[in-house]
Amino acid sequence: MSRRIVITEFMDEAAVQTLRAEFAVVYAPDLVDRPADLAEALRDADALIVRNRTQVNESLLTGASRLVAVGRLGVGLDNIDQAYCASRNIAVVPAIGANAAAVAEYVVGLAMVLLRGFLFSSAEVAAGTWPRARLASGREVAGKVLGLVGYGSVGQRVGQLARAVGVRVLAYDPMLPTAHPAWRDATRCDEVDDLFRAADVVSLHVPYSAQNAGLVDERRLGLMKPGAVLVNTARGGIVDEAALARALRSGALAGAAVDVFAHEPLPAGSALAGVPNLFLTPHVAGVTYESNERVSALIAQRIAEILRPA
């Protein structure tokens, strides 16, 4: 009997075809939105491939008696019940490192434009307002301090790209051993509050967890330098969205770019609606044409290795 793979969200077509050459594949990018059909498809599935929207939990997997692997097209695992999967001996396979370059470009690129302050000037220029005097005080990124909250594979790639344009890198990551070679390229902060005080740009690269929920709250936003900016490509719920809105409206924070939200899609009329100096994107920091190819190819390879006969 051919091993069977169910893919519930979008995946690079070349990687899908690679899997189809060897396995029976059900590929439906909208399957995540059809729970009854998804549950039925999983009844005789050996592997499941998802992105961040599919909630891989006991309720979903109860009828998936043959399942041996879950591939994650990305790195965040907060939508996957890892403890339950472990209890069933189901391997959970994230695409570690495959989208790090895309996230790094997003973070450094947005840090640059937020510090310059011209990101939202198009409408004024088109209307003939010509806000040149106000925008002439924008700041260069070279010589600034980037604070990375989380210094794993993605945070390290962000730091590497930032250093190439003259940025000094601080990082907070109590899980990364002090002897790790990555610390040669960044100053280690033992306390996260010290990082918030020192950085011109704070970028978040930690998973969502009970410990990290509300990590960036009103108090920590208040520690940031006048003129500092915040970038969140990690997970929603790590930043208190209402507190962020207040900091931006008051001018205490110069700007922010947010790619992830406590509720996705971000509902209309949220605390972040109409907030000045705020750039919002729909959870795409790690998703580019190239990164989708890399992530998909990596997960296809790893899942195939698990499913092939020993």
Side-chain angles (χ1 to χ4, degrees), residues 115-182:
L115 287 171
R116 286 293 296 270
F118 53 49
L119 184 61
F120 308 100
S121 66
S122 294
E124 291 178 86
V125 174
T129 304
W130 206 247
R132 190 169 188 268
R134 187 185 84 238
L135 297 179
S137 60
R139 293 160 294 156
E140 298 175 3
V141 74
K144 298 300 185 293
V145 176
L146 169 65
L148 299 170
V149 182
Y151 199 46
S153 61
V154 176
Q156 290 169 31
R157 189 62 178 266
V158 174
Q160 179 185 28
L161 186 59
R163 286 190 299 275
V165 292
V167 173
R168 294 191 295 126
V169 177
L170 306 181
Y172 169 80
D173 194 329
M175 304 302 293
L176 192 66
T178 56
H180 195 284

Side-chain angles (χ1 to χ4, degrees), residues 63-88:
S65 58
R66 287 173 42 181
L67 202 74
V68 297
V70 176
R72 169 69 168 91
L73 296 165
V75 296
L77 297 175
D78 50 294
N79 62 311
I80 299 175
D81 187 334
Q82 297 177 72
Y84 177 72
C85 288
S87 74
R88 290 265 309 270

Side-chain angles (χ1 to χ4, degrees), residues 24-270:
V25 175
V26 175
Y27 174 46
D30 66 339
L31 197 55
V32 60
D33 298 314
R34 295 186 279 122
D37 292 341
L38 174 54
E40 182 61 31
L42 287 175
R43 289 189 183 281
D44 57 355
D46 299 283
L48 170 65
I49 296 177
V50 304
R51 285 190 181 270
N52 65 298
R53 294 182 57 220
T54 308
Q55 298 303 306
V56 183
N57 51 32
E58 183 175 358
S59 175
L60 178 66
L61 300 183
T62 295
S65 58
R66 287 173 42 181
L67 202 74
V68 297
V70 176
R72 169 69 168 91
L73 296 165
V75 296
L77 297 175
D78 50 294
N79 62 311
I80 299 175
D81 187 334
Q82 297 177 72
Y84 177 72
C85 288
S87 74
R88 290 265 309 270
N89 293 317
I90 298 171
V92 176
V93 184
I96 299 295
N99 66 354
V103 176
E105 289 187 5
Y106 179 104
V107 171
V108 176
L110 264 297
M112 287 178 170
V113 295
L114 288 169
L115 287 171
R116 286 293 296 270
F118 53 49
L119 184 61
F120 308 100
S121 66
S122 294
E124 291 178 86
V125 174
T129 304
W130 206 247
R132 190 169 188 268
R134 187 185 84 238
L135 297 179
S137 60
R139 293 160 294 156
E140 298 175 3
V141 74
K144 298 300 185 293
V145 176
L146 169 65
L148 299 170
V149 182
Y151 199 46
S153 61
V154 176
Q156 290 169 31
R157 189 62 178 266
V158 174
Q160 179 185 28
L161 186 59
R163 286 190 299 275
V165 292
V167 173
R168 294 191 295 126
V169 177
L170 306 181
Y172 169 80
D173 194 329
M175 304 302 293
L176 192 66
T178 56
H180 195 284
W183 289 118
R184 291 197 297 260
D185 300 317
T187 300
R188 181 186 179 105
C189 281
D190 292 325
E191 300 293 336
V192 69
D193 283 1
D194 293 339
L195 182 145
F196 275 81
R197 292 187 185 97
D200 299 290
V201 180
V202 172
S203 184
L204 308 178
H205 302 282
V206 292
Y208 180 81
S209 65
Q211 180 181 359
N212 290 333
L215 176 73
V216 184
D217 56 9
E218 195 135 21
R219 185 185 70 80
R220 286 205 171 100
L221 288 168
L223 297 177
M224 295 178 71
K225 294 179 179 180
V229 301
L230 174 75
V231 181
N232 184 16
T233 60
R235 279 295 181 271
I238 295 172
V239 176
D240 180 329
E241 293 173 1
L244 176 62
R246 289 191 293 271
L248 289 166
R249 290 188 188 279
S250 71
L253 192 65
V258 180
D259 185 56
V260 288
F261 307 93
H263 300 285
E264 297 183 358
L266 182 68
S270 77

Side-chain angles (χ1 to χ4, degrees), residues 10-20 27 29 292-293 296:
F10 72 92
M11 187 173 184
D12 181 62
E13 188 62 36
V16 175
Q17 293 304 323
T18 297
L19 290 172
R20 280 185 170 141
Y27 174 46
N292 185 40
E293 286 187 327
S296 299

